[in-house]
Amino acid sequence: MRTNFLLIIGLLINPSIGAHAQQKSTGIFDGQNTIGTATQPMAARYTSTSQAYELSSVGAVQDGANFLWKRIKGDFIVYTRGHFQSKEPGHKIGWMARATLEPGSRQVSAAVNSDEPASLEFRRTDGGSIDQTQTTVNNADIIQLERRGNTYTIRAALFGEPFQVREITEINLGDEIYVGLFVSTSHKNAAAKGVFQDVRITVPVKADAKPGRMDLGSRIELLDIVTGKREVIHTAPNSIQAPNWTTDGKTLIYNGQGMIYTFDLTSRQQKVLNTDNIKNNNNDHVLSFDGKLLGLSSGVSELGGSIIYTVPVTGGTPRQITPKGPSYLHGWSPDGKSLVFCGSRNNEYDVYKVSVDGGPEVRLTDAKGLDDGPEFTPDGNYIYFNSNRTGTMQVWRMKPDGSQQEAVTDGEFHDWFPHISPDGNWIVFLSFLKDEVAAGDHPAYKHVYLRMMPVKGGKPTVIAYLYGGQGSINTPSWSPDSKRIAFVSNTDVSTLSPIEITGN
């Protein structure tokens, strides 16, 4: 009797909770509902070890779908890499945003159809018809839905390719709405099943946000470059940036709030690395090839800005290398004798080389514009860097003496911070969209790609789609076996959840 009484009270308080509603949380989601009529409602499943969701629908009709939802207030960006486990005509998976859980509710969906291109589907009024605007992407497995005010955007892609974007405006679903994953089928007796990995719920930061603000959240993620699988291993209620991977493969090193931190990949515990009185460290820190020394860049206002230091990887008293700033460290020579950095001298940013013992600086670039992010290849034959000398930020390379400078990417995006894999076979770099940033800017909290290409040349492919930018991958972040990348993605701190981390 008590159970029935509570159910009746729940229906009176929230009539959208029907016979096929499940209010039990699943992963990062608050509840699950079958929208419309279903012959066989099926529970969602979350697997913590793979951080993946499985969702099925059997015979859903009347605007029907199996819907795994979370209540979200205001703007959001929701992302997943999803695919059909059962693919028949009329099956559909994706993201849905709804005003209510009732059939016929105002809604917007980023939908991947089994037999049509991915589309942005929407109903402007309760009980109205569903309209759509289609992309040209068939079999999309990268699905993202974004809300800014009453504007909704789908970003869809085949993994490895850039997004295709479609947008609708003046869709009023209310302030706090239901947002989540869905699976549906238009056939009464057919079963549709979707599997969703790399699920991310992001609240974009305000336009005036600064990287040091305490209401900003960060996720450290590990990316398998072969499968594209992403794993959240650590979250922080502040801005942490630029993970380096130690040469033994056991630890990440990153910065936050001026400090340098180590993160044990086995225990998943963070500790402060002792850098004595050098406590204004930024995201330009690099390990020597032998893994024994860590190079730091730390702000010293009386010396003109960022100054380069070196310190034992176990911590200690840093040794000052450059006498003046701004000097932003990005690379060591493989023999450990030289450092390469981006320095501003006479109001011009160029690439410089300096002995690890300090001394005279050697200017390696002199083109007008910004030259940044220099990094040696493991064989020492080249220095890769990024430059906007052509009007678009591109990846370039040159010989260690500054000769034979040549572009590596073609300027489709603004490309920053090339990092060469330890085996010398691959380059990973950060790509900004041209319509979001200028050629000389690399701000935080933007739609960005991580792209990869062979060192020998070829077409870059997208290996990660994220909300980040400055601080995501400023410094070398390859695992020593060249199989994984560590990077940082961002969100408002309110959306971070321990459930994102394996085992929690």
Side-chain angles (χ1 to χ4, degrees):
M1 287 293 293
R2 179 175 175 81
T3 301
N4 291 338
F5 175 76
L6 291 175
L7 176 61
I8 292 170
I9 294 298
L11 289 169
L12 290 173
I13 295 173
N14 185 358
S16 64
I17 300 175
H20 300 316
Q22 299 179 21
Q23 298 304 301
K24 181 181 178 181
S25 62
T26 302
I28 60 175
F29 295 96
D30 299 331
Q32 180 187 354
N33 282 70
T34 299
I35 308 298
T37 302
T39 59
Q40 186 181 344
M42 303 183 74
R45 185 173 72 172
Y46 171 71
T47 305
S48 62
T49 53
S50 62
Q51 299 181 353
Y53 296 81
E54 296 181 10
L55 191 61
S56 301
S57 181
V58 178
V61 295
Q62 299 180 14
D63 188 30
N66 198 355
F67 184 40
L68 184 63
W69 53 263
K70 184 178 184 68
R71 294 281 277 172
I72 299 179
K73 187 175 183 178
D75 295 342
F76 59 78
I77 303 168
V78 287
Y79 167 93
T80 188
R81 185 177 179 187
H83 66 271
F84 294 97
Q85 202 165 68
S86 57
K87 186 178 178 182
E88 301 291 341
H91 289 186
K92 193 180 298 183
I93 63 173
W95 288 102
M96 182 184 294
R98 302 180 66 92
T100 75
L101 297 175
E102 292 296 327
S105 168
R106 288 163 288 145
Q107 60 124 318
V108 177
S109 298
V112 171
N113 300 275
S114 58
D115 46 4
E116 295 180 12
S119 61
L120 190 62
E121 301 180 352
F122 54 97
R123 178 187 282 122
R124 293 184 180 275
T125 60
D126 292 335
S129 61
I130 291 182
D131 296 314
Q132 68 173 357
T133 174
Q134 284 189 332
T135 70
T136 61
V137 185
N138 290 304
N139 302 311
D141 54 355
I142 304 298
I143 319 163
Q144 184 167 293
L145 179 65
E146 179 177 0
R147 171 186 178 176
R148 288 189 179 272
N150 289 336
T151 296
Y152 289 81
T153 304
I154 181 178
R155 300 174 192 267
L158 284 168
F159 182 77
E161 297 293 328
F163 278 128
Q164 279 198 25
V165 181
R166 298 291 185 271
E167 184 176 280
I168 53 171
T169 60
E170 300 179 2
I171 301 287
N172 185 5
L173 303 185
D175 188 18
E176 187 172 8
I177 62 177
Y178 296 88
V179 182
L181 301 167
F182 79 92
V183 172
S184 70
T185 173
S186 59
H187 298 289
K188 186 174 181 181
N189 297 314
K193 186 173 184 179
V195 177
F196 306 90
Q197 66 183 57
D198 305 334
V199 174
R200 304 288 183 267
I201 296 178
T202 295
V203 172
V205 300
K206 303 297 187 293
D208 61 349
K210 303 298 181 185
R213 275 177 40 174
M214 294 302 291
D215 58 341
L216 305 182
S218 303
R219 302 177 176 110
I220 294 182
E221 303 193 39
L222 303 185
L223 167 71
D224 186 305
I225 66 164
V226 174
T227 66
K229 176 70 176 67
R230 292 162 58 173
E231 178 189 10
V232 177
I233 63 165
H234 181 61
T235 63
N238 47 55
S239 178
I240 56 177
Q241 303 177 344
N244 306 132
W245 211 309
T246 57
T247 54
D248 61 8
K250 296 180 179 180
T251 306
L252 298 180
I253 296 176
Y254 50 87
N255 65 287
Q257 292 73 58
M259 308 298 289
I260 298 294
Y261 295 94
T262 63
F263 182 82
D264 187 290
L265 289 167
T266 300
S267 67
R268 303 289 171 97
Q269 296 298 311
Q270 170 186 276
K271 293 182 179 179
V272 174
L273 181 71
N274 174 27
T275 58
D276 198 37
N277 63 343
I278 305 303
K279 296 181 179 179
N280 192 23
N281 300 296
N282 57 48
N283 53 36
D284 295 320
H285 41 80
V286 186
L287 283 158
S288 59
F289 274 83
D290 63 10
K292 295 180 179 180
L293 291 173
L294 177 67
L296 303 175
S297 304
S298 189
V300 183
S301 57
E302 58 268 28
L303 296 180
S306 180
I307 299 297
I308 295 173
Y309 300 83
T310 60
V311 67
V313 72
T314 53
T317 301
R319 176 185 182 183
Q320 184 177 340
I321 304 300
T322 55
K324 61 182 178 180
S327 301
Y328 301 99
L329 178 64
H330 282 275
W332 292 72
S333 62
D335 62 11
K337 295 180 178 180
S338 301
L339 302 173
V340 284
F341 65 96
C342 170
S344 177
R345 307 292 184 260
N346 301 315
N347 297 315
E348 184 72 24
Y349 281 94
D350 282 299
V351 173
Y352 290 84
K353 182 166 62 175
V354 66
S355 168
V356 73
D357 296 318
E361 301 171 351
V362 179
R363 186 180 183 183
L364 299 180
T365 65
D366 58 8
K368 280 293 182 182
L370 171 62
D371 296 325
D372 198 356
E375 183 176 313
F376 275 93
T377 54
D379 59 14
N381 289 336
Y382 285 97
I383 295 172
Y384 280 76
F385 63 102
N386 52 276
S387 175
N388 69 348
R389 63 185 68 183
T390 63
T392 299
M393 188 63 76
Q394 298 178 56
V395 174
W396 286 67
R397 72 175 186 176
M398 60 185 169
K399 290 292 187 179
D401 62 1
S403 64
Q404 300 182 33
Q405 297 182 19
E406 59 182 349
V408 174
T409 57
D410 62 9
E412 180 183 5
F413 302 100
H414 291 311
D415 298 326
W416 287 77
F417 306 131
H419 304 307
I420 298 88
S421 59
D423 62 13
N425 292 329
W426 300 98
I427 312 169
V428 162
F429 50 92
L430 184 72
S431 294
F432 288 88
L433 309 183
K434 284 186 174 181
D435 61 355
E436 289 201 7
V437 302
D441 294 337
H442 57 296
Y445 321 120
K446 295 291 183 181
H447 295 291
V448 294
Y449 302 125
L450 294 185
R451 296 202 296 161
M452 185 173 73
M453 65 183 294
V455 167
K456 294 180 179 179
K459 179 178 174 57
T461 59
V462 180
I463 58 172
Y465 309 74
L466 60 139
Y467 185 70
Q470 169 72 301
S472 287
I473 191 170
N474 291 50
T475 55
S477 56
W478 283 92
S479 62
D481 61 6
S482 300
K483 294 182 178 179
R484 291 186 290 175
I485 291 287
F487 66 91
V488 173
S489 58
N490 295 118
T491 183
D492 186 274
V493 69
S494 63
T495 60
L496 291 177
S497 169
I499 200 68
E500 293 181 305
I501 305 173
T502 299
N504 288 340

